[in-house]
Amino acid sequence: DAKTTQPPSMDCAEGRAANLPCNHSTISGNEYVYWYRQIHSQGPQYIIHGLKNNETNEMASLIITEDRKSSTLILPHATLRDTAVYYCIVRVGYSGNQFYFGTGTSLTVIP
Amino acid sequence: DVKVTQSSRYLVKRTGEKVFLECVQDMDHENMFWYRQDPGLGLRLIYFSYDVKMKEKGDIPEGYSVSREKKERFSLILESASTNQTSMYLCASRPPGARGNTEAFFGQGTRLTVV
C-alpha cells in the first residue's frame, strides 16, 4: 500500500496562500490522492482529490507532479478558520476501499 | 447531505466491560470504516466493511470486532475493554464508484475513556 509523508506542522499568514506538501513516492497508477482536514474535536472533512491532473474546487487546488510521487494542496487565501490538521491520503484503487491516514500536517494560520 | 451518526460523543467504561460503538449512515453506502485517533499517531484503520456481513481487518484490529447486519449500521465491539483502548473513535462511510473515485464521509467521533 502506498504511504504518505507530510511535514508535522506549518504556519501561514492570514490572507496568504498556504501550500501543504505531501510525498507519496510508492503510489501506483490507479491510486488517487485525497486531502482531508480535521478541525479540533470534529470528524475529518473532505477537501479535494485527484489522480493525474491538477484539480480545483471552491476550497482548494491540488497540484500533482507529473511522476505522481508528490502533491501540494493550496489554500489560496488562508483564513483563521483554516487552522486544522491536513491529511494527505493515497487510497487503494479498484479492489481496495481503505483510506489509510498518516499523522498529517498541523496548519496554523496566523493573524 | 450525507449524514454519518455515531451514537455517543462521550463514553466512560470500566476495564473488562464489553463496549459497543454504533454508527449509522443514511445514504445507502456500501463501504463503512472504523478508525481510532490518538495524539501523534493520526487516524488508524481498525476495520472496514464493504457489504453487509462482510468485513476486513485494517492496521490495528487486535482487541476489536465488528458487526454489519444491516447496510446502514456498522458496529465496533470491544470484547473486553482495556485502558489502552481509551481513544477517539471515528466512523466513516463511502459510496462505491468507478475506480473508487469517491469521497468518504465521517461522523463526529466518540471519545471513549476506559477506567
Side-chain angles (χ1 to χ4, degrees), chain A residues 8-86:
Chain A
S9 63
M10 292 180 64
D11 292 338
C12 177
E14 188 178 16
R16 302 298 293 269
N19 297 286
L20 292 91
C22 180
N23 287 321
H24 31 79
S25 58
T26 58
I27 193 171
S28 63
N30 61 354
E31 290 179 325
Y32 285 80
V33 180
Y34 280 77
W35 283 84
Y36 280 74
R37 73 180 183 185
Q38 187 176 26
I39 297 170
H40 184 63
S41 298
Q42 297 182 20
Q45 175 193 23
Y46 168 81
I47 301 173
I48 199 168
H49 74 281
L51 183 64
K52 294 181 182 178
N53 300 321
N54 298 337
E55 303 286 346
T56 295
N57 63 19
E58 65 278 5
M59 290 182 69
S61 295
L62 174 60
I63 308 298
I64 302 174
T65 58
E66 192 169 342
D67 62 7
R68 303 208 329 119
K69 292 186 177 181
S70 65
S71 61
T72 301
L73 178 75
I74 301 171
L75 309 177
H77 304 287
T79 71
L80 298 179
R81 287 181 291 183
D82 292 323
T83 292
V85 178
Y86 287 78

Side-chain angles (χ1 to χ4, degrees), chain A residues 3 29-32 34 36 38 40-46 49 51 87 91-94 96-104, chain B residues 9 31 33 35 37 40-43 45 48 50 56-59 88 90 94 98-109:
Chain A
K3 297 291 190 268
N30 61 354
E31 290 179 325
Y32 285 80
Y34 280 77
Y36 280 74
Q38 187 176 26
H40 184 63
S41 298
Q42 297 182 20
Q45 175 193 23
Y46 168 81
H49 74 281
L51 183 64
Y87 295 96
R91 64 173 303 282
V92 179
Y94 288 105
N97 291 291
Q98 303 92 320
F99 274 134
Y100 285 103
F101 285 71
T103 54
Chain B
R9 286 299 305 269
N31 303 304
F33 309 79
Y35 294 87
Q37 183 173 29
L41 297 177
L43 279 75
L45 182 64
F48 78 100
Y50 52 91
E56 287 197 24
K57 295 178 180 179
D59 285 339
M88 168 71 86
L90 288 156
R94 188 184 69 81
R99 304 179 67 203
N101 186 18
T102 58
E103 66 185 268
F105 298 86
F106 282 82
Q108 288 295 89

